[in-house]
Amino acid sequence: MDLRDEQPTQHEIGNRTYLVADVDPLDVDGVRTVQVGSGLFLLGFLALLPFYGTLQDNDRTWWLWMCLTGFALGLFGVEYCRRRRRARDRMRAEEQEA
């Protein structure tokens, strides 16, 4: 299985033709992105925690629990992205051996 799809070398839009440069895509696996997002949710939870009473008075406690849920789901996302990265690395290694 090849990770790259064949891409067009030019696009015609109206009466103009645009050439597409042959540039390799960035190898982004998403681990760092999900880690940063999870960290921001945790930071939001910790920042809102001292204001629990005010949030409760204004029926906004869901803000606090949303941040905690975002952090928890982010932990699952980090593990998913790590497993995906390992699987892609194994697939690349198998392709190089063949």
Side-chain angles (χ1 to χ4, degrees):
M1 175 186 210
D2 190 16
L3 296 176
R4 290 185 61 166
D5 296 334
E6 293 300 320
Q7 299 292 323
T9 58
Q10 63 184 14
H11 293 287
E12 292 183 21
I13 300 173
N15 58 359
R16 292 184 178 200
T17 301
Y18 297 93
L19 298 177
V20 178
D22 186 25
V23 179
D24 290 331
L26 293 175
D27 187 23
V28 179
D29 53 26
V31 174
R32 183 176 300 145
T33 304
V34 176
Q35 286 174 336
V36 169
S38 300
L40 290 173
F41 272 115
L42 180 62
L43 185 65
F45 175 77
L46 294 174
L48 289 172
L49 201 54
F51 302 102
Y52 182 78
T54 305
L55 292 172
Q56 192 172 23
D57 292 342
N58 295 312
D59 291 330
R60 300 278 192 253
T61 53
W62 66 270
W63 290 2
L64 188 67
W65 306 124
M66 181 202 57
C67 289
L68 187 61
T69 303
F71 173 68
L73 290 174
L75 293 179
F76 286 112
V78 168
E79 183 59 26
Y80 174 81
C81 288
R82 285 182 182 162
R83 287 183 185 203
R84 181 174 164 258
R85 177 174 53 190
R86 284 193 298 264
R88 290 179 66 177
D89 290 344
R90 275 195 308 270
M91 191 167 53
R92 284 190 187 117
E94 289 172 1
E95 285 178 359
Q96 290 177 355
E97 290 174 3

